[in-house]
Amino acid sequence: MCDVITIGSATMDVFVESDDANIVSVYTKNKKSEFMSYPYGAKVEISDFTSQVGGGGVNTAVNFANLGFKTSAIFKIGDDIYSDGVLESFKDKDIDLSNIVQDPKLSTGFSIILVSFQGDRTVLAHRGANAQIKKSDINFDAIKNSKLLYIAPMNGDSTKVLDDIATFANENNVFVCFNAGSTSIKKGFNYLKKILANATIVVMNKEEAALATQIQVRPDTRDEKFSEEPIHPDVKEMLKKLKVRDYQVIVITDGKYGAYAYDGKNFYLCPVFDGPVVSTLGAGDAFASTFCAALGRTNKDIGKSLMYASINSAGVVSAFGATQGLLTFDQIEKKLKENPKYTYKIV
């Protein structure tokens, strides 16, 4: 019996950094877009290169285990050199691998992560087996006997199982934390609403929330710092629309501006925990899974759980790899004591 079961993707991530990368900003009348570029037709020198195992199912399973939970992971891989790397990475992790599905007819997910000098990244992703999780692949008894089902973003045909697993978990009194991905969001709010209705905790970034709710954040000239009115009214409307059940907590992350939460009564704002940024890959997985885990640790203190999540996410972005900088609860609480001015607001 496990405390937590995660379901999501597993990939072999190859990180590539080049001093020749450029960040190009393109402005139109209504928006600004940024692109990573390299000289066309040139042979570009790589300044740094490494490979790590990643994917939402892997990253969150490693985080929950690191935080002290008995954890199992459901993800799908092929039978190839990359699946060997995925399985090898778990040898020193206390994670139950009995629910992993391996299909020799499919290729294991693979990603090339182009890292910029600013620490942000562009991901070239081959979904492979990650997009082929079927209902028959899932050990529903394991979900029934767990306390929390964490659903990481899923891709392709794998999204077809979302409604079934969320409904099953809810009917069997298993808490569901749903970190929605763009593939499921693009199916429309009516589709998403059925899954949201079975989730206790829902986490999205602002761009995903805008896509899900069809609410766009209008330009705002207010001070970008931690002001007296720090949450944009359009973000508040997103939080309200995503909350479809009384018992739910909705969280929206907003990059360098922090994270917002709504429990039906209060709106919460937690700033980013300051620290060096090496790579942002895995930051969202660390934040969402830590928030879910911290609610039990803090006796359902939403604001404090946001702080735990922000600190652990800051640890991840400070290292090169999606799980390299993960912290334990003791390490997070030590940082809280060392930074007494770091706090959240109820607005």
Side-chain angles (χ1 to χ4, degrees):
M1 179 176 176
C2 292
D3 298 322
V4 180
I5 289 185
T6 69
I7 181 168
S9 60
T11 65
M12 179 60 70
D13 293 333
V14 177
F15 295 81
V16 177
E17 188 170 1
S18 173
D19 293 337
D20 292 331
N22 302 296
I23 306 299
V24 180
S25 296
V26 177
Y27 294 83
T28 63
K29 183 178 180 180
N30 298 315
K31 86 175 181 179
K32 169 189 172 184
S33 301
E34 292 188 325
F35 300 86
M36 189 184 300
S37 71
Y38 298 86
Y40 182 69
K43 181 178 287 186
V44 179
E45 294 291 330
I46 294 174
S47 56
D48 202 357
F49 170 89
T50 188
S51 60
Q52 303 281 347
V53 173
V58 170
N59 297 341
T60 54
V62 172
N63 187 34
F64 280 116
N66 194 58
L67 291 170
F69 294 88
K70 293 181 180 178
T71 305
S72 184
I74 299 173
F75 54 77
K76 197 167 187 175
I77 55 178
D79 186 7
D80 48 32
I81 187 172
Y82 304 121
S83 65
D84 292 342
V86 170
L87 296 174
E88 179 71 22
S89 72
F90 281 98
K91 283 193 172 180
D92 61 343
K93 306 288 192 305
D94 187 16
I95 296 173
D96 173 23
L97 304 183
S98 63
N99 295 305
I100 293 174
V101 181
Q102 195 164 13
D103 188 337
K105 297 179 181 179
L106 300 174
S107 58
T108 303
F110 181 84
S111 295
I112 299 173
I113 296 97
L114 305 175
V115 183
S116 81
F117 58 87
Q118 294 177 329
D120 217 333
R121 77 283 185 274
T122 296
V123 181
L124 308 178
H126 169 61
R127 304 300 184 185
N130 292 318
Q132 301 294 328
I133 298 175
K134 301 175 183 177
K135 187 175 178 179
S136 58
D137 292 327
I138 297 170
N139 184 344
F140 282 89
D141 285 338
I143 293 175
K144 183 178 180 179
N145 291 321
S146 66
K147 298 175 183 177
L148 171 68
L149 171 66
Y150 181 96
I151 304 174
M154 298 172 71
N155 313 292
D157 288 343
S158 296
T159 59
K160 294 177 182 178
V161 306
L162 286 175
D163 190 18
D164 287 331
I165 60 174
T167 300
F168 178 85
N170 192 36
E171 289 175 347
N172 286 277
N173 300 312
V174 178
F175 290 104
V176 176
C177 182
F178 179 41
N179 184 198
S182 59
T183 302
S184 55
I185 290 171
K186 288 176 181 177
K187 292 190 175 185
F189 191 73
N190 287 336
Y191 165 82
L192 195 65
K193 191 174 181 179
K194 294 187 294 182
I195 304 165
L196 294 175
N198 288 303
T200 310
I201 303 160
V202 178
V203 184
M204 299 183 190
N205 63 40
K206 190 174 71 173
E207 292 71 28
E208 292 165 342
L211 182 62
T213 61
Q214 293 299 297
I215 297 172
Q216 299 300 316
V217 179
R218 294 162 293 179
D220 193 345
T221 58
R222 294 175 301 174
D223 188 351
E224 293 179 345
K225 295 181 181 180
F226 214 45
S227 64
E228 291 301 317
E229 297 290 339
I231 302 181
H232 194 291
D234 293 335
V235 174
K236 286 187 175 182
E237 289 305 309
M238 289 180 189
L239 290 162
K240 290 179 181 178
K241 186 170 182 178
L242 290 170
K243 186 175 171 60
V244 298
R245 288 287 186 268
D246 290 341
Y247 55 78
Q248 290 176 309
V249 177
I250 309 298
V251 178
I252 294 177
T253 59
D254 192 12
K256 64 182 180 181
Y257 301 114
Y260 322 107
Y262 178 57
D263 63 0
K265 179 181 178 181
N266 296 312
F267 292 94
Y268 300 79
L269 170 59
C270 181
V272 168
F273 187 77
D274 288 335
V277 177
V278 175
S279 170
T280 58
L281 192 74
D285 291 330
F287 187 98
S289 54
T290 303
F291 177 78
C292 296
L295 282 172
R297 181 82 169 189
T298 64
N299 194 27
K300 298 182 180 179
D301 187 324
I302 293 172
K304 196 168 185 179
S305 296
L306 289 172
M307 292 166 64
Y308 276 57
S310 185
I311 289 173
N312 208 5
S313 183
V316 168
V317 303
S318 70
F320 204 63
T323 61
Q324 301 306 301
L326 288 171
L327 305 173
T328 65
F329 274 134
D330 287 344
Q331 290 170 325
I332 292 171
E333 287 160 0
K334 181 181 179 183
K335 285 187 177 291
L336 280 173
K337 290 180 181 179
E338 293 171 346
N339 296 272
K341 292 184 179 180
Y342 179 66
T343 189
Y344 66 92
K345 283 188 177 183
I346 296 178
V347 295

